[in-house]
């Protein structure tokens, strides 16, 4: 047996007989060559024991309700993250930190109502985002501007409110018509839900003139802050002014009455 020639040779033989353990795979998942499938397992949160070589992660059809800060371990090679058909209602602004290489993100069929731009800042390589079938009424402009590589955006079956709040989303879609923002069925289903008179009206059927009033009357945050500051200040200033003027008037009338009072006193003494 050549394996007994020396300590180093013995160690080599032992390593051959007992190969190194494979990368970790969560108990509720099936792992194969960087592909991790954790769907249909009633998971309440993202498994943490994921291998750093994970490139595709399937988490659909579970009961995940929140993605908190750093919900994922560092996954520098993750390219696709699929989270459809969960109960997601909240994504923390730090939830996707560590997923810088991500190219496709599926958040469809969840309960999302609000998305913040900070949430997507780490995803500088994201090319496809699916937000279909959520509860979104509008989308902040910063959400889309935080994704410079975005090519495909799916937004169908959300209760869009077609008021001035939809203007940033309409602007982005209008400026990016050359991108694959819709396939034909999705374009027809990107409809207004509210107000009632615009129910089922296609968002992309609006023209620039439809938002003219919004553009003319829109105010920045600085304007609102100025109004909130000037309003109470003006109110307090008017109160102090009224008190001051009232005091001056009372003093003036008292001063005018004093000479008459002294005259009458003098006359009375003379008599």
């Amino acid at each position: 047996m050549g394996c007994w020639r020396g300590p180093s040779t013995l160690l080599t033989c032992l390593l051959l007989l007992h190969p190194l353990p494979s990368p970790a795979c969560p108990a509720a998942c099936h792992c194969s060559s960087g592909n991790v499938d954790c769907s249909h397992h009633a998971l309440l949160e993202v498994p943490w024991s994921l291998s750093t070589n994970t490139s595709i992660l399937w988490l659909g059809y579970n009961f995940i309700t929140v993605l908190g800060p750093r919900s994922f371990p560092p996954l520098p090679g993750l390219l696709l993250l699929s989270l459809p058909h969960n109960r997601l209602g909240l994504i923390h602004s730090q939830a996707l930190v560590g997923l810088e290489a991500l190219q496709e993100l599926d958040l469809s069929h969840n309960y999302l109502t609000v998305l913040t731009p900070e949430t997507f800042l780490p995803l500088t390589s994201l090319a496809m985002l699916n937000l279909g079938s959520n509860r979104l009424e509008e989308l902040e402009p910063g959400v889309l501007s935080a994704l410079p590589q975005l090519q495909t955006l799916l937004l169908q079956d959300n209760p869009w409110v077609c008021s001035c709040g939809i203007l940033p989303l309409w602007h982005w879609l209008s400026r990016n018509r050359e991108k694959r923002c819709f396939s034909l069925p999705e374009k027809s289903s990107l409809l207004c839900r509210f107000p009632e008179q615009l129910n089922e009206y296609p968002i992309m059927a609006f023209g620039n003139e439809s938002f003219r009033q919004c553009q003319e009357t829109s105010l920045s945050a600085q304007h609102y802050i100025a109004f909130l500051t000037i309003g109470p200040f003006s109110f307090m200033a008017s109160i102090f002014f009224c008190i001051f003027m009232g005091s001056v008037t009372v003093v003036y009338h008292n001063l005018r009455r004093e000479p008459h009072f002294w005259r009458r006193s003098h006359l009375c003494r003379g008599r």
Side-chain angles (χ1 to χ4, degrees), residues 236-254:
M236 294 301 298
S238 63
I239 291 177
F240 285 119
F241 179 76
C242 291
I243 293 173
F244 173 76
M245 292 303 297
S247 301
V248 170
T249 304
V250 170
V251 170
Y252 174 74
H253 282 293
N254 287 337

Side-chain angles (χ1 to χ4, degrees), residues 82-257:
S82 180
L83 278 157
H85 294 279
N86 276 273
R87 298 178 181 178
L88 270 178
L90 177 65
I91 301 179
H92 191 272
S93 60
Q94 300 295 312
L96 304 176
V97 171
L99 308 181
E100 288 77 10
L102 196 66
Q103 296 180 6
E104 298 184 30
L105 176 59
D106 187 354
L107 297 171
S108 62
H109 298 277
N110 279 289
Y111 302 156
L112 295 171
T113 58
V114 177
L115 294 171
T116 63
E118 293 77 14
T119 299
F120 298 100
L121 284 177
L123 309 183
T124 55
S125 300
L126 195 70
M128 191 283 286
L129 176 61
N130 189 349
L131 297 172
S133 300
N134 275 280
R135 298 178 179 179
L136 297 169
E137 296 183 352
E138 60 183 52
L139 205 60
E140 293 185 34
V143 171
L144 301 175
S145 60
L147 300 169
Q149 302 301 320
L150 190 64
Q151 294 294 321
T152 302
L153 176 63
L154 307 178
L155 299 167
Q156 72 282 1
D157 300 324
N158 278 284
W160 300 110
V161 176
C162 290
S163 61
C164 291
I166 205 73
L167 179 59
L169 175 60
W170 179 85
H171 267 315
W172 190 92
L173 296 173
S174 299
R175 289 195 301 265
N176 293 275
R177 288 180 184 273
E178 73 281 1
K179 296 183 179 180
R180 295 182 294 110
C181 295
F182 314 104
S183 64
L184 290 177
E186 288 149 1
K187 183 174 182 178
S188 61
S189 62
L190 190 60
L191 307 173
C192 303
R193 182 75 59 85
F194 303 101
E196 186 177 352
Q197 60 268 29
L198 291 175
N199 186 32
E200 297 190 359
Y201 188 83
I203 291 178
M204 294 310 297
F206 287 111
N208 192 54
E209 65 280 358
S210 304
F211 299 101
R212 184 171 301 165
Q213 184 178 1
C214 301
Q215 295 168 336
E216 291 175 354
T217 60
S218 60
L219 297 175
S220 65
Q222 288 80 5
H223 287 105
Y224 287 110
I225 293 172
F227 290 147
L228 290 174
T229 304
I230 293 172
F233 177 79
S234 301
F235 177 71
M236 294 301 298
S238 63
I239 291 177
F240 285 119
F241 179 76
C242 291
I243 293 173
F244 173 76
M245 292 303 297
S247 301
V248 170
T249 304
V250 170
V251 170
Y252 174 74
H253 282 293
N254 287 337
L255 291 175
R256 288 194 62 184
R257 290 176 60 186

Side-chain angles (χ1 to χ4, degrees), residues 73-84:
L75 299 172
L78 189 65
L79 301 177
L80 185 151
L81 174 59
S82 180
L83 278 157

